[in-house]
Amino acid sequence: MRALVVEGLAPDFGGCAVREVPTPEPGPGEALVRVRAASVNFPDLLTTRGEYQFKPPLPFTPGLDLAGEVAALGEGVTSLAVGDAVVGGARLGGFAEYAVLPAEALKPKPARLSFAEGAAYGAAYLTAYVALVRRARLEPGEWVLIHGAAGGVGLAAVDMAKALGARVIATSASDDKLARVQALYAPDAVVNVTGGFRDRVKEITGGHGADVIYDPVGGDVFDESVRCVAFDGRLLVIGFTSGRIPTISANMPLIKGFSVVGVRAGEYGRQFPDKGRENSEAVWRMADEGLIRPHVHAEVPLDRWREAFDLLAERKVVGKAVIVP
């Protein structure tokens, strides 16, 4: 089979290449999936450079989220059948024609979603759910400020927050992207962060500030978010796509009475397995019911994987770029 293989850790994806590799075989409790689509997530890019928390040994095939059809089953698997359309993922393996995953990591693909949409859904929407529901304990009617709203995890958070009954302010540095976000998910307000956003957020919220701030950007965006978070607010640290990990003086949360809350959706599920299963079930149930739906920006063949990576790396994507093996 063909797979995108990381053979060395290098900048600009220099250690990546599509190779012919043996098709894996499922072991006990595993399933072999014919991959129909796999979405590109920011951690996928970081792992190619060795800059993510998870550092697999070389060589490896990246790809967190996938959708496809069950091609074979390992011993003891009774929850799936060959031919089933499934969605799921693991830390590795998605950017290939076939992938082996634990059967428990796979779920039936919601009929409402295409394979590309199913692949674009899991990690982004799970992150949004864990952040907003588990960590922020979001209440209907609260103001949620979502940074990087055109990106995969940001756009998922806009969709999720709206479904949860929040009042949403979506931000980006691009008016064109904000117009697309507005057309897709109708946030209550959009704000271009170029030149600052604190005063605009205060104006929109009637001086109250944002009850919850969802920040996958970090850097200067985090710094200014501290200035417009409401008293008793929750500032969610999702990631640092800006490239700078910010710091904060402890007197700021004290004086303003807000919390800085870290979000690692996958690790949350590993630390609290029962809650992790509840999170996953809740997210996929919302998809089944049509309450939320991901947006696929582009579907790119495996041989042109770099185009999909560059869309994310250069912040040209609205929603998710998906690789189609």
Side-chain angles (χ1 to χ4, degrees):
M1 70 170 190
R2 294 182 311 147
L4 178 63
V5 180
V6 180
E7 299 171 322
L9 304 178
D12 194 31
F13 318 125
C16 303
V18 173
R19 302 294 190 199
E20 287 286 342
V21 299
T23 302
E25 296 184 3
E30 295 180 332
L32 176 68
V33 176
R34 171 66 175 98
V35 180
R36 298 298 183 185
S39 67
V40 182
N41 294 284
F42 199 66
D44 294 320
L45 307 190
L46 294 178
T47 57
T48 70
R49 304 192 296 267
E51 296 175 358
Y52 194 54
Q53 301 98 302
F54 174 55
K55 294 178 170 55
L58 296 168
F60 63 87
T61 293
L64 287 168
D65 281 324
L66 61 83
E69 297 155 335
V70 175
L73 295 170
E75 181 182 352
V77 178
T78 59
S79 58
L80 300 170
V82 172
D84 283 352
V86 293
V87 292
R91 288 179 166 182
L92 297 172
F95 302 144
E97 292 178 326
Y98 289 89
V100 165
L101 297 94
E104 63 182 14
L106 296 168
K107 293 183 177 296
K109 181 182 72 66
R112 296 174 183 269
L113 302 184
S114 67
F115 282 114
E117 289 172 330
Y121 188 79
Y125 278 81
L126 183 63
T127 297
Y129 184 88
V130 171
L132 297 173
V133 175
R134 293 294 191 180
R135 303 296 281 144
R137 303 184 188 277
L138 178 68
E139 296 289 341
E142 287 192 306
W143 282 105
V144 181
L145 176 63
I146 298 174
H147 293 304
V153 294
L155 198 60
V158 172
D159 194 12
M160 178 69 70
K162 290 288 291 183
L164 294 171
R167 293 181 288 179
V168 176
I169 305 169
T171 81
S172 171
S174 164
D175 286 336
D176 289 342
K177 287 182 178 180
L178 287 173
R180 188 66 179 138
V181 173
Q182 184 74 60
L184 287 168
Y185 296 118
D188 297 86
V190 295
V191 174
N192 190 314
V193 298
T194 305
F197 56 87
R198 172 181 60 178
D199 293 340
R200 182 71 180 120
V201 170
K202 286 294 189 71
E203 178 186 351
I204 291 167
T205 61
H208 175 74
D211 299 292
V212 175
I213 300 180
Y214 183 97
D215 180 17
V217 179
D220 295 344
V221 164
F222 178 93
D223 295 342
E224 190 165 355
S225 293
V226 171
R227 306 293 178 179
C228 61
V229 63
F231 191 88
D232 200 31
R234 290 83 80 200
L235 204 172
L236 301 170
V237 179
I238 311 298
F240 313 105
T241 60
S242 69
R244 178 171 73 84
I245 299 175
T247 59
I248 185 172
S249 298
N251 67 311
M252 294 300 292
L254 171 64
I255 293 169
K256 299 196 67 178
F258 69 90
S259 303
V260 179
V261 185
V263 179
R264 290 182 64 195
E267 187 62 25
Y268 186 95
R270 287 185 284 272
Q271 293 289 332
F272 308 111
D274 289 343
K275 291 180 180 178
R277 284 187 288 273
E278 291 173 4
N279 297 341
S280 182
E281 290 169 2
V283 167
W284 287 106
R285 184 173 61 251
M286 294 176 80
D288 276 326
E289 295 173 357
L291 299 175
I292 48 184
R293 187 169 195 139
H295 175 65
V296 176
H297 180 96
E299 299 181 40
V300 180
L302 180 61
D303 287 337
R304 289 162 42 202
W305 61 270
R306 180 175 283 274
E307 294 178 26
F309 277 34
D310 285 343
L311 280 172
L312 185 58
E314 297 171 8
R315 295 175 174 80
K316 295 178 179 178
V317 66
V318 175
K320 280 296 189 76
V322 172
I323 289 176
V324 181

